[in-house]
Amino acid sequence: MDIAKDIKDRITGAADALYDEAQRAEFPTVASVRARAGVDMNAASIVMREWRRAQTAHSAPPAVDVPERVRAVSSAALATLWAEAQSLANASLSLAQAEWDRERAAAETLREELSAAYDVKAAELHASLALVSEFKLGLQDSERRHRELTAALASACERAATAEARTIEIERRANDLGSELARVHAEAKAERERLNADVAQAQTGLKAERDAALQSAAQAREEAARLRGRLEALEALHTNAAGRPIAGQGGKGVGKPTT
């Protein structure tokens, strides 16, 4: 994987800084370096592997000649023994290096798998948080609409009460006028025909007014009943939405509730 030089510099700079902050007692973790440098986990793992290797790098011990003092007091057999010891040491070092290479290859494979899994989980977490945020916005919108419908229902109820009061008043006025007409009929029989015409005209007007008031009251009651039904449906929707599981756990997204 090719990594840009500026990204490598950021990673190694962060690793050096964290290493110094720990007083060079222990190497910083890949996660802490990634957070400090602001890069992805895969790039941080690759560069950190090279950084650790550079911190622990050492060259193979060179062949050392038999010291002059030993050569002066030793025979050819001792020189041969010295060479054999060096050969054995170098062979052991080669075996250790091969074993270390195998372990490093296995660790690199594991690192790549962990890095890929980490990125997948990070993306899933980001998507889940986005869905939670969307669900909260939908819930807030539902609450706002609930408040609006509650206010509308209260206004409709007030209008219905007003219309009903007007109906009662009109009925009372009609009754009063009927009594007045009866009294006038008893007191002024001579004017009955004229009064009967006036009463008929007055009753016609009152009946039209009463019918209009009753119709207005009926319409207001129907509007109030409709608004109550919408409010109950919205409350049921709000209750169901509040108990719905968060998306990302069941594989389904959370949408905004509709009315």
Side-chain angles (χ1 to χ4, degrees), residues 86 215 225:
Q86 290 189 63
Q215 183 178 4

Side-chain angles (χ1 to χ4, degrees), residues 134-144 238 241-242 257:
E134 182 180 355
F135 176 78
K136 288 181 178 179
L137 291 176
L139 183 59
Q140 292 173 358
D141 185 63
S142 296
E143 291 174 348
R144 177 185 59 79
H238 177 68

Side-chain angles (χ1 to χ4, degrees), residues 16 21 37 39 44 65 84 136 142 205 247-248:
D16 290 338
E21 290 173 8
V39 298
D65 293 335
E84 183 65 23
K136 288 181 178 179
S142 296

